[in-house]
Amino acid sequence: MSESTSAAQTDPLARIAALPGVAEAVQETRTLVDRLLGHRILRRRSSDVSMESSLRGACASAALEGAEVAMDEIREGHVYDTRIKGALRVSGELGSLVETWPKAPRQVLARLHTLAAADAVGEDALGRPRREGERVEDPLGLGPAPAPQVAHARLEGLYALLAARTSVPALVTSALVHGELMAVRPFGWGDGLVARAAERLTLIERGLDPKSLVPSELGHRTLEDGYASALRGYMSGTPEGVAEWVVHCCEAVRAGAQDSLATCEALKRG
């Protein structure tokens, strides 16, 4: 039995990492992110790049929820759409949740939803998994969400995987986190905001992007035509569909890293 086959049997995520095309996409993405992390401007201006990445990522995530986003208005503080306000709150608090995420993912997801949905749902629904009969928003047209009890069971499985501290690349783990949260849509409103934040949180916590420089949400927005399609592939549960989703997430992270590289170059030029 080969080492990779043995790993796939003991680590469920290793099976995903071994799917066709995944390793190549991970390596290509890692190379570009490392290039970003090595940019000279970060020696003096990493906080500026991180702040810009945070803002651009939040705006992109809100846009994927259907919000009309104008960056100039947001920079000037003219924010009225509940989705934009929620995305900005989530983005602003992400850094404080990094250490808690691997220890208490359930608590972090509840906090993310509370931040995302504070202006959109009743106080009793903030951070609480949806109940039978409650509406599930579907801005991406993914189709019906699973029943609450099914969503709960899948979330418990996700928590177990996160607790196991898999050895597979951060890009694979973060893609699974994002995909599962979008597949089960645990809260009913703002699930996309939560899922994309959780993906980014995983990339930070697992060491791919420790300074939070990469707006992966912007990458998904840039690849918007393929985003919902790739999610449906993941939700199908087929090896091909899951591989397509992980590769898409790698492409989104690359697009986000490329955007931050452009920010670095702009700061370099002054």
Side-chain angles (χ1 to χ4, degrees):
M1 181 183 296
S2 69
E3 184 175 340
S4 61
T5 301
S6 176
Q9 291 181 347
T10 58
D11 183 349
L13 291 185
R15 293 196 297 271
I16 297 176
L19 290 172
V22 169
E24 295 82 357
V26 166
Q27 183 55 51
E28 187 176 350
T29 305
R30 176 88 237 191
T31 298
L32 185 58
V33 172
D34 285 346
R35 181 180 156 205
L36 168 63
L37 295 177
H39 198 287
R40 292 177 61 187
I41 199 69
L42 296 178
R43 297 174 190 172
R44 299 179 290 109
R45 306 286 298 274
S46 65
S47 62
D48 292 331
V49 178
S50 179
M51 287 177 61
E52 180 67 11
S53 168
S54 177
L55 178 62
R56 291 170 71 79
C59 293
S61 193
L64 287 167
E65 293 296 291
E68 294 289 335
V69 178
M71 288 290 294
D72 290 341
E73 292 184 2
I74 291 170
R75 291 186 195 281
E76 293 169 4
H78 304 313
V79 179
Y80 308 104
D81 191 297
T82 56
R83 293 160 294 189
I84 300 173
K85 289 194 286 186
L88 290 170
R89 281 192 298 266
V90 166
S91 186
E93 197 165 315
L94 212 57
S96 67
L97 299 173
V98 173
E99 290 188 10
T100 309
W101 178 230
K103 304 170 190 174
R106 183 185 287 101
Q107 175 185 329
V108 171
L109 290 178
R111 179 58 182 162
L112 289 174
H113 184 254
T114 298
L115 293 166
D119 301 311
V121 304
E123 187 174 347
D124 69 316
L126 291 174
R128 170 182 62 73
R130 59 184 166 86
R131 296 169 180 161
E132 196 69 46
E134 291 184 334
R135 181 178 177 182
V136 179
E137 299 290 337
D138 188 17
L140 295 173
L142 298 177
Q149 61 269 29
V150 175
H152 174 77
R154 287 183 65 167
L155 281 176
E156 290 298 321
L158 178 61
Y159 300 148
L161 283 175
L162 290 172
R165 301 304 294 174
T166 176
S167 61
V168 305
L171 285 157
V172 175
T173 306
S174 62
L176 180 84
V177 168
H178 187 165
E180 275 297 287
L181 290 173
M182 289 301 289
V184 306
R185 282 159 279 170
F187 300 106
W189 193 98
D191 291 304
L193 299 177
V194 171
R196 288 183 289 274
E199 176 188 36
R200 186 162 181 174
L201 197 54
T202 305
L203 293 171
I204 297 167
E205 189 273 320
R206 303 268 166 152
L208 182 87
D209 180 28
K211 295 183 178 180
S212 190
L213 302 171
V214 180
S216 49
E217 311 97 325
L218 179 62
H220 291 295
R221 170 68 166 155
T222 301
L223 303 168
E224 184 175 7
D225 289 345
Y227 181 48
S229 174
L231 270 170
R232 291 189 197 98
Y234 176 84
M235 291 165 62
S236 75
T238 65
E240 296 80 10
V242 173
E244 176 193 1
W245 169 245
V246 178
V247 170
H248 165 86
C249 288
C250 288
E251 291 172 349
V253 172
R254 285 204 300 274
Q258 195 66 60
D259 187 77
S260 286
L261 276 169
T263 298
C264 289
E265 288 299 311
L267 290 172
K268 181 179 165 185
R269 292 190 298 270

